[in-house]
Amino acid sequence: MPGFALSTAATLTCAHQGQVSLTPGQQQVLAGGAPVVTTADLNVVAPSCTLSSAQPPSPCVKVDFTPAASTRVFVQGRPVVLEPTGPGAGLCLSAAQAPQGPPMVSAVQQRVVAT
């Protein structure tokens, strides 16, 4: 399924409004001037996830972008992450690896499309 190549310039939050930080493992392949994100990159949710106040606390801590992996576009042998605008195709996870829902993508570059 085609989608926009996710770059570090994208704005993402978990479903509970925790800000997602995208840290690329490469700086050579850019989309809109920012490094593209691969499934192997570090994706951390800030401590602002509101599930941290739940009992027991179970805040989102990272995003697994494996479900959003391109089947045709790779950077350094790793699939590029593809995202639609709106609910993302990844999956936010707690520290115990419990699924917490998809990330919300509110801004993504719209020039580079891949499948």
Side-chain angles (χ1 to χ4, degrees), residues 44-99:
V44 179
V45 179
S48 58
C49 175
T50 58
L51 278 182
S52 60
S53 61
Q55 292 300 326
S58 185
C60 300
V61 295
K62 70 178 185 175
V63 180
D64 176 12
F65 283 118
T66 304
S70 172
T71 58
R72 295 185 177 185
V73 180
F74 296 81
V75 173
Q76 296 178 344
R78 297 179 174 116
V80 169
V81 175
L82 305 178
E83 289 294 325
T85 301
L91 186 62
C92 295
L93 301 170
S94 71
Q97 303 301 306

Side-chain angles (χ1 to χ4, degrees), residues 8-27:
T8 57
T11 303
L12 288 90
T13 60
C14 71
H16 319 103
Q17 302 307 309
Q19 187 68 39
V20 177
S21 298
L22 302 169
T23 305
Q26 59 85 33
Q27 300 286 324

